[in-house]
Amino acid sequence: MTYRVCFVCTGNICRSPMAEIVFRARVAEAGLGGLVEIDSAGTGGWHEGDGADPRTVAVLAKNGYATAHTARRFQPSWFSRLDLVVALDAGHLRALRRLAPTEQDAQKVRLLRSYDTAAGDDLDVPDPYYGGAEGFEECLEMVEAASAGLLAAVREDVEGQAA
């Protein structure tokens, strides 16, 4: 059985594709590639069909990650096929929980940085879109830091499904 994760930010061109690509690499490194499906989407449709922001692509490429991505908008009907919906900030978390058709679906939504034990109280990944390259670097650092804890949680869920 495939475990499905979707990362969600606002436009699906900066934070969520970065999280998708980084987490896909971590899942592959852990040997779980055939068991976990990863994608991303935006709460809005402004950039549907576009590639990732060139600054996202540059930061990912500079750090050795693949960069293929096409933006899309999150659809409430997806909840039924997803195991985990990972929001990049509290605004996305609230928006996604409002979209959830059931309380059980709303419980699938978690903040990415909640998986980073060193994150403290601020669990938002700031939107780098209106800033410079340093914001994209900071975003990548936060995504990478949270990925280890997220991978551990997903591995536990995957192993639980197999049992």
Side-chain angles (χ1 to χ4, degrees), residues 49-163:
D50 294 345
D53 184 289
R55 297 165 294 178
T56 298
V57 172
V59 167
L60 287 168
K62 179 177 134 186
N63 287 279
Y65 294 101
T67 58
H69 174 73
T70 302
R72 62 197 188 131
R73 184 177 190 170
F74 188 87
Q75 301 299 317
S77 62
W78 297 354
F79 275 106
S80 64
R81 67 173 178 82
L82 293 169
D83 297 289
L84 182 62
V85 180
V86 183
L88 277 288
D89 71 28
H92 307 132
L93 179 83
R94 287 188 299 274
L96 289 161
R97 287 189 172 160
R98 279 193 306 271
L99 285 175
T102 68
E103 181 58 31
Q104 182 181 11
D105 289 328
Q107 294 306 310
K108 295 177 182 181
V109 185
R110 299 281 312 272
L111 282 168
L112 175 64
R113 293 192 72 209
S114 69
Y115 294 98
D116 180 359
T117 57
D121 293 335
D122 184 7
L123 299 181
D124 286 353
V125 176
D127 188 352
Y129 186 77
Y130 294 104
E134 66 282 347
F136 288 82
E137 291 284 352
E138 179 185 20
C139 181
L140 179 61
E141 289 171 15
M142 290 179 176
V143 166
E144 288 179 328
S147 289
L150 177 57
L151 180 62
V154 168
R155 182 190 303 273
E156 186 176 311
D157 286 349
V158 167
E159 289 171 355
Q161 284 182 352

Side-chain angles (χ1 to χ4, degrees), residues 18-54:
M18 189 178 289
E20 172 191 355
I21 289 165
V22 168
F23 193 62
R24 184 175 289 120
R26 295 300 175 269
V27 164
E29 290 164 4
L32 298 174
L35 300 173
V36 182
E37 181 181 294
I38 304 138
D39 59 18
S40 65
T43 57
W46 310 279
H47 300 286
E48 276 188 291
D50 294 345
D53 184 289

